[in-house]
Amino acid sequence: MRFRDGMWLTQPDFRVEFAEDVHKIDTSKDDALSLLCPTRHIMARGNTLNQPTITIDVEPVVDDVISITARHWKGARDLGPHYPLFPDGKPGLKSSVTKTDAGTVLTAGKLACTISGAANTFDIRFTDAVTGAAVTSLEGRSVGLAYNPPPGSPMQLQDMTKFSHYMFTQHNLGVGESIFGLGERFTPFNKVGQAVTLYNADGGTSSEQAYKNVPFYLSSAGYGVFIDHPEPVELEIGSERTCRLQTSVKGQKIKWYLIYGPDPKEILRKYTDLTGKPAKVPSWSYGLWLSTSFTTNYDEATVGQFLDGMKEREIPVHVFHYDCFWMREFHWCDFVFSKEHFPDPKAMMSRLRTKYPGIKFCVWINPYIGDASPVFQEAADKGFLVKRTNGDVWQWDLWQAGMGLVDFTNPAACAWYTEKLEGLFDVGVDSLKTDFGERIPDTDVRWFDQSVDLAKMHNYYAYIYNEVVFRALQKRYGEDQAVLFSRSATAGTQRFPLQWGGDCESTYEAMAESLRGGLSLGLSGFAYWSVDIGGFEGRPRHDVYKRWVAFGLLCSHSRLHGSNSYRVPWAIDEASTPVLRTFVDLKCRLMPYIYAHSMAATKTGVPVSLRAMFLEFPEDPTAWTLDRQYMFGDALLIAPVFSESGEVTFYLPEGRWTSWFGGEVKHGPRWVTEKHGFESLPLYVREGTVLVLGKEGEKRVVYDYEQDAEVRVYSPTRGRPWRSTLLVDCEGDVRGKLEVEGATLKGLGLGGFNGKWSIVIDGMKADMEGETVTKFSW
């Protein structure tokens, strides 16, 4: 939201007041500072009258995190819902307040905040408490309030129903500073120059709208900011003032947390300390998910034909997904299988489990109930649906005719919804695709919990919807066996994985915008991500499908899904079959590596994939610009191909890189152009990597990762370090560690190898004795 018209003028429909100086600072016993900031300079006693003041609270939260709260009128109610903070426990804090020649200095760990002591000055600077390096600042005219429309007289404000009131802050953007994150955004990767509204919307992947708006951003200057507001937030990121990032909210208060790294991985770790770590997901979820697609014709016979066809082509399906029409038309979502298409779903799933051992099943759901379903009346009679202010059930005809919305602020409605889900688990469903949850009304609506703020509920609904479903899965299958396929999200929803990218078109452009969305979500605290392989809307050309298969199977999670056309490879062309088989087999072999990174993500908040290049190479300025490639974990560089010709240009950071497919070694930093067929893409292994693989020909994702494994060792450039690797089993338990010491590859804590392991060092097989590889030189 823009309050100004250029550098000098205010927009004609706003009145804006700025905090002009810091008149007084109060310090509490817990080192919190409260700043009284008039909106005009106090030159005489009379200046203290007939003007607003802004109170700015600066509080140490945990080490390296300071919160900033700016209020106009303190008497405004602070309605919920609020984001749950520190759900896994609050880290420690060492803070202090001192007076110096520069002013009042608050420190929290390595982060310092200095409030200038100069008269008639507003200047708040954040620095590294150890080195003094600048982080960011709130300088003159950077914190304020605004009215719309502008009141002509203070007397008019006795009736605030005629005015909208906003609070805003503007912190500095340094020269060359970049901003990332803010949820799954499909616009340019670096958000500087963009105006962003954090308001969940069902807008596809080719617009400025987003399904997953997360009020957190990460800066190349070594800090992150979490804006503690579920309600819509407006950001002008170098777009209203090119040297500032403005955040504004409607109301009397704005609050955000400044999180200092300076390493970007540390920023994510501390942010996910604040809002919650990604939960563990089961190893079976990393396999290939195959869908019925959306509006295609399908029934029990179709499902059998798909699974048989994949088996005949030696392509394993690890999860089968039934999309919307597993239910009767006009009845979504009443949890009842269509008897016409699936007469006995429990027997069907039982037969398929026998025929395809280990297969899991997922069905589509949403939080709406169509008017035509008897379940609608049941929910309405029990008061489980959101209502209008006149007491009617809130309904409209967008999506499902006459649909109502489940009211998850009602504990009884949550229990009822969970009971419906348990009926699906009884049938044999293992996972749920929690679609929708974005178009949540914020006017003419009454929730069961009438204390909630309607504006906050719009985004926050995604949190409680996904939490209810995730907890239901945990209750049935165990804490570590729950997994969703979710589209809507907000801050904290990373605790209920996983998320996928929504409705993309079947084009290279949509593939690239999806990649940008996945990168941005990974920089917002989400560890796992998937995409509709081949695109959702339209029927992909054969080349688009094949290129997308390579990209999609090298994401943390992989699903073939479309709208009005199937995504089995033979529906595209027979040449798609070997491409899909190649990359599914590759992912199965990579599972020891992938799952080790998955377990690490539950502790660090760093994404498995898509992992932005700068998370691994923060000292490389080029890495901060890269939005067409990514890291899968910390050792594998992936550059998807966006052309039929196979030509692709990508960047290799400093070091020695080895091509997975060809074995060629290239040294960075440099740009590389290659040409690839459909069964390869630029997949490079980082130097110093010890990579554990399943055996050749492995087609499962759940197996003994220590049995008959292959270890590939990639020597670093002389003088550069080796990288150790953890070994986990298919339950995620740590079994040991592999590392190189001197000329020896050591297996620590393994107690020996299971079966016949093979060791390959820079493409050459090595001898193995017990837990070590000897005669190892480089």
Side-chain angles (χ1 to χ4, degrees):
M1 179 172 291
R2 298 192 178 191
F3 299 112
R4 302 196 64 78
D5 178 9
M7 187 72 175
W8 315 117
L9 303 177
T10 301
Q11 294 280 3
D13 47 353
F14 285 98
R15 175 183 169 184
V16 178
E17 304 272 6
F18 294 98
E20 294 287 4
D21 65 34
V22 178
H23 185 65
K24 184 178 71 165
I25 302 176
D26 292 326
T27 305
S28 71
K29 62 181 180 180
D30 55 0
D31 293 334
L33 305 178
S34 185
L35 286 53
L36 180 65
C37 304
T39 54
R40 289 196 298 276
H41 294 301
I42 307 300
M43 310 305 293
R45 282 184 168 182
N47 296 140
T48 65
L49 306 175
N50 301 313
Q51 66 155 312
T53 60
I54 295 172
T55 302
I56 301 176
D57 295 325
V58 185
E59 301 178 64
V61 181
V62 295
D63 280 350
D64 310 332
V65 179
I66 291 175
S67 70
I68 307 295
T69 306
R71 291 183 178 89
H72 179 201
W73 293 335
K74 296 179 185 177
R77 294 180 301 163
D78 185 16
L79 299 177
H82 300 98
Y83 290 122
L85 300 183
F86 300 110
D88 304 312
K90 193 172 182 178
L93 168 65
K94 185 177 181 180
S95 64
S96 66
V97 174
T98 56
K99 301 281 188 177
T100 70
D101 291 343
T104 302
V105 181
L106 165 67
T107 61
K110 296 181 298 181
L111 180 60
C113 173
T114 301
I115 296 101
S116 173
N120 300 316
T121 299
F122 185 91
D123 190 277
I124 302 174
R125 294 180 184 266
F126 300 92
T127 57
D128 186 306
V130 178
T131 67
V135 178
T136 191
S137 58
L138 293 164
E139 300 179 24
R141 297 201 146 197
S142 63
V143 178
L145 61 94
Y147 289 103
N148 171 253
S153 162
M155 292 291 291
Q156 292 179 280
L157 299 181
Q158 63 184 313
D159 182 3
M160 284 297 292
T161 62
K162 294 181 171 61
F163 298 91
S164 293
H165 183 282
Y166 301 88
M167 295 296 297
F168 64 87
T169 62
Q170 299 175 346
H171 71 71
N172 254 34
L173 288 175
V175 175
E177 184 174 347
S178 301
I179 299 293
F180 306 92
L182 294 170
E184 183 189 54
R185 314 207 76 82
F186 307 104
T187 54
F189 185 39
N190 177 4
K191 301 303 181 282
V192 172
Q194 300 179 40
V196 175
T197 301
L198 301 180
Y199 186 84
N200 283 1
D202 178 1
T205 67
S206 60
S207 77
E208 82 288 353
Q209 296 180 3
Y211 303 106
K212 307 170 188 67
N213 288 272
V214 179
F216 169 78
Y217 54 87
L218 187 152
S219 167
S220 61
Y223 66 89
V225 171
F226 169 59
I227 308 158
D228 193 9
H229 289 269
E231 69 266 38
V233 178
E234 304 269 359
L235 296 106
E236 298 286 344
I237 308 171
S239 49
E240 179 168 346
R241 289 199 63 182
T242 57
C243 60
R244 289 184 176 181
L245 191 160
Q246 175 177 283
T247 304
S248 61
V249 296
K250 190 174 182 179
Q252 294 290 333
K253 178 187 82 169
I254 185 169
K255 181 173 185 177
W256 43 265
Y257 294 77
L258 184 68
I259 304 167
Y260 183 51
D263 182 87
K265 285 185 180 179
E266 277 296 291
I267 297 169
L268 286 179
R269 182 185 64 78
K270 294 165 188 174
Y271 167 67
T272 52
D273 283 345
L274 186 62
T275 60
K277 299 296 184 196
K280 174 184 174 182
V281 292
S283 52
W284 58 258
S285 70
Y286 287 85
L288 178 65
W289 297 51
L290 175 63
S291 166
T292 58
S293 288
F294 171 32
T295 60
T296 49
N297 290 318
Y298 50 86
D299 56 16
E300 184 172 342
T302 313
V303 175
Q305 290 165 8
F306 281 180
L307 291 174
D308 289 344
M310 295 290 274
K311 183 177 182 179
E312 290 166 5
R313 291 164 176 82
E314 298 182 311
I315 303 172
V317 175
H318 304 99
V319 185
F320 191 87
H321 170 68
Y322 299 81
D323 216 51
C324 313
F325 282 97
W326 67 268
M327 289 175 285
R328 295 161 291 177
E329 57 196 14
F330 295 111
H331 282 227
W332 307 343
C333 173
D334 66 2
F335 313 100
V336 179
F337 274 84
S338 168
K339 288 189 176 180
E340 177 186 353
H341 301 93
F342 303 100
D344 189 345
K346 185 172 184 178
M348 171 188 64
M349 292 184 187
S350 179
R351 287 192 299 271
L352 291 173
R353 287 186 202 279
T354 300
K355 190 172 184 179
Y356 302 99
I359 195 168
K360 302 289 185 178
F361 297 104
C362 175
V363 298
W364 176 97
I365 62 171
N366 67 194
Y368 318 135
I369 304 175
D371 188 278
S373 171
V375 176
F376 176 92
Q377 196 60 51
E378 176 190 349
D381 291 345
K382 292 180 177 180
F384 294 163
L385 301 177
V386 173
K387 294 182 179 179
R388 294 190 183 273
T389 52
N390 67 0
D392 291 346
V393 171
W394 187 94
Q395 293 178 267
W396 67 1
D397 294 322
L398 185 60
W399 185 236
Q400 287 290 284
M403 56 167 254
L405 176 66
V406 177
D407 188 345
F408 291 116
T409 71
N410 183 344
C414 295
W416 171 84
Y417 197 81
T418 297
E419 183 181 324
K420 297 295 185 184
L421 299 179
E422 288 171 347
L424 295 177
F425 305 154
D426 291 340
V427 168
V429 172
D430 303 285
S431 176
L432 295 161
K433 174 183 172 180
T434 47
D435 207 352
F436 289 82
E438 303 93 2
R439 291 174 177 156
I440 305 304
D442 50 17
T443 57
D444 188 25
V445 60
R446 189 175 75 213
W447 297 87
F448 172 82
D449 181 353
Q450 295 185 38
S451 70
V452 300
D453 183 306
L454 304 185
K456 291 181 179 180
M457 280 301 299
H458 175 84
N459 286 346
Y460 195 75
Y461 189 87
Y463 182 97
I464 54 177
Y465 162 41
N466 284 291
E467 180 180 29
V468 165
V469 181
F470 193 78
R471 300 300 183 209
L473 284 161
Q474 286 184 316
K475 179 182 176 184
R476 169 57 67 96
Y477 294 115
E479 184 177 353
D480 296 337
Q481 292 299 308
V483 63
L484 308 178
F485 229 88
S486 172
R487 192 175 74 175
S488 59
T490 186
T493 319
Q494 69 268 11
R495 297 169 60 197
F496 318 121
L498 61 101
Q499 286 71 34
W500 104 98
D503 299 345
C504 48
E505 296 172 305
S506 297
T507 64
Y508 287 121
E509 292 79 8
M511 184 174 154
E513 68 203 17
S514 295
L515 196 160
R516 291 195 298 273
L519 288 172
S520 294
L521 192 67
L523 295 170
S524 305
F526 290 72
Y528 322 103
W529 182 82
S530 188
V531 65
D532 290 341
I533 295 174
F536 178 72
E537 294 290 349
R539 185 181 189 279
R541 294 196 326 246
H542 77 93
D543 56 300
V544 172
Y545 178 87
K546 292 165 187 167
R547 299 298 186 195
W548 212 317
V549 160
F551 167 41
L553 266 298
L554 291 169
C555 297
S556 75
H557 289 79
S558 309
R559 185 180 69 164
L560 293 165
H561 180 65
S563 179
N564 57 3
S565 59
Y566 301 126
R567 291 293 178 268
V568 288
W570 60 91
I572 308 300
D573 66 4
E574 280 299 338
S576 294
T577 292
V579 177
L580 181 60
R581 183 168 53 239
T582 293
F583 286 99
V584 173
D585 289 354
L586 171 59
K587 191 170 193 185
C588 291
R589 291 202 72 196
L590 285 171
M591 275 304 297
Y593 169 83
I594 295 170
Y595 210 44
H597 281 82
S598 175
M599 297 313 301
T602 65
K603 295 178 174 61
T604 65
V606 176
V608 180
S609 85
L610 305 180
R611 185 178 295 195
M613 293 294 298
F614 66 72
L615 287 176
E616 292 300 324
F617 305 97
E619 303 304 319
D620 187 335
T622 301
W624 292 83
T625 69
L626 302 172
D627 65 356
R628 294 192 300 277
Q629 63 184 75
Y630 59 95
M631 296 295 290
F632 192 171
D634 63 6
L636 301 181
L637 183 154
I638 316 293
V641 180
F642 299 100
S643 67
E644 183 176 8
S645 70
E647 188 168 291
V648 53
T649 299
F650 58 97
Y651 178 76
L652 294 175
E654 185 177 3
R656 184 177 186 268
W657 295 87
T658 304
S659 169
W660 171 274
F661 288 104
E664 303 92 345
V665 174
K666 293 183 170 66
H667 291 267
R670 61 182 285 203
W671 286 93
V672 177
T673 297
E674 295 180 349
K675 193 165 185 176
H676 284 263
F678 292 119
E679 291 187 47
S680 70
L681 81 171
L683 167 52
Y684 277 79
V685 186
R686 188 177 185 176
E687 67 175 10
T689 293
V690 179
L691 183 63
V692 182
L693 303 169
K695 64 179 182 292
E696 191 79 42
E698 182 61 70
K699 290 185 176 291
R700 300 167 297 171
V701 288
V702 181
Y703 55 91
D704 185 348
Y705 299 156
E706 299 174 73
Q707 182 74 33
D708 299 331
E710 178 182 330
V711 179
R712 295 190 184 182
V713 180
Y714 298 85
S715 299
T717 307
R718 185 172 296 276
R720 294 174 66 87
W722 285 95
R723 308 171 62 78
S724 62
T725 187
L726 284 179
L727 279 172
V728 301
D729 61 24
C730 62
E731 297 298 324
D733 296 325
V734 176
R735 307 297 295 171
K737 182 168 73 170
L738 289 173
E739 63 178 27
V740 174
E741 183 179 305
T744 303
L745 174 66
K746 293 187 174 181
L748 304 179
L750 292 175
F753 298 107
N754 294 341
K756 186 177 181 181
W757 282 45
S758 62
I759 311 293
V760 178
I761 303 170
D762 296 330
M764 302 291 290
K765 283 196 173 182
D767 298 325
M768 187 173 73
E769 294 182 6
E771 293 191 11
T772 65
V773 177
T774 57
K775 303 174 184 176
F776 179 32
S777 61
W778 50 280

